[in-house]
Each structure stands twice: as C-alpha cells, then as structure tokens.
Amino acid sequence: MPPKKNPLKLNALQLRTLALAQVVAAEPGMATRNAATGAVVLDQVPHPHGDHVHVGRFTVSARDASGFANPAVWVALARKGLAKTDDYGTIILTAEGLAYDTGLMEKFAAPSDH
C-alpha cells in the first residue's frame, strides 16, 4: 500500500512553507546541516520583493512564501515535529521535516528566469 499523502494533515500554507523550506535547506550557502541529528538550520530565509521571492535559483510567488513570516505556521510545524525555532527566530528543519513529502516540490522546482 502506498504511503498516505499528507499523513500529518498539514494545511495548504503549512505544506507550501515546508516545501519552500526544504528547497532553502537544499541550496548551497543557505543552510547548515547538523550531521549528528540530520536537522538543518536555515541560515537565510527568503523575503519577498514585489510579487515574488527568490529561493536559491528558484522564483515563487510572494503569496506562496507568506508562511515564512507567519509565526503560527512555525508553531504548527514544530508541534508536528517537522521544524523548530529558537529564541532568536532561527528556523531549524528536523530530519522528519526534510523527509516529509509535501507533494509540492514540482510546483516550486522551476528555475528563475531572472
């Protein structure tokens, strides 16, 4: 039997934010991996300019990336064991968060044209 899609029942904003955080985590120079835990610290969180956001070599709509600035999204992802934040607002994706299949990676995998 194939694995259930979205077994943690993340909402659309949480799924988009996690998918984009996974993209950031995979970009060289934007994240630091902890080899012992498998977690990744996001060193650079993208910020929108105009109607879009640059995430490494990708461009996505600012609407799709709005969860980066929404503390409730990070609280929900932390509650489900997919991410953590520290007292300084640093975002950490857990090994589980990196491995979670959002089903959205194809949507955000279009390289930027500028």
Side-chain angles (χ1 to χ4, degrees):
M1 175 177 249
K4 181 180 176 184
K5 287 284 188 187
N6 196 13
L8 296 178
K9 297 182 168 96
L10 301 178
N11 68 31
L13 180 60
Q14 294 162 357
L15 281 170
R16 285 193 311 262
T17 303
L18 180 59
L20 288 172
Q22 290 169 340
V23 170
V24 171
E27 286 294 316
M30 293 187 76
T32 305
R33 183 174 299 270
N34 181 325
T37 65
V40 172
V41 175
L42 302 185
D43 298 326
Q44 298 178 27
V45 178
H47 299 283
H49 59 274
D51 64 349
H52 65 280
V53 176
H54 294 278
V55 180
R57 63 181 192 247
F58 304 107
T59 301
V60 297
S61 77
R63 180 183 178 277
D64 285 338
S66 64
F68 276 117
N70 185 333
V73 169
W74 297 109
V75 168
L77 293 176
R79 188 175 58 245
K80 295 180 187 253
L82 303 173
K84 301 182 222 179
T85 57
D86 65 14
D87 293 337
Y88 303 104
T90 302
I91 297 169
I92 304 160
L93 286 185
T94 64
E96 294 80 9
L98 288 168
Y100 194 84
D101 182 8
T102 62
L104 299 174
M105 293 309 289
E106 292 172 7
K107 177 179 179 179
F108 298 121
S112 174
D113 62 352
H114 70 283

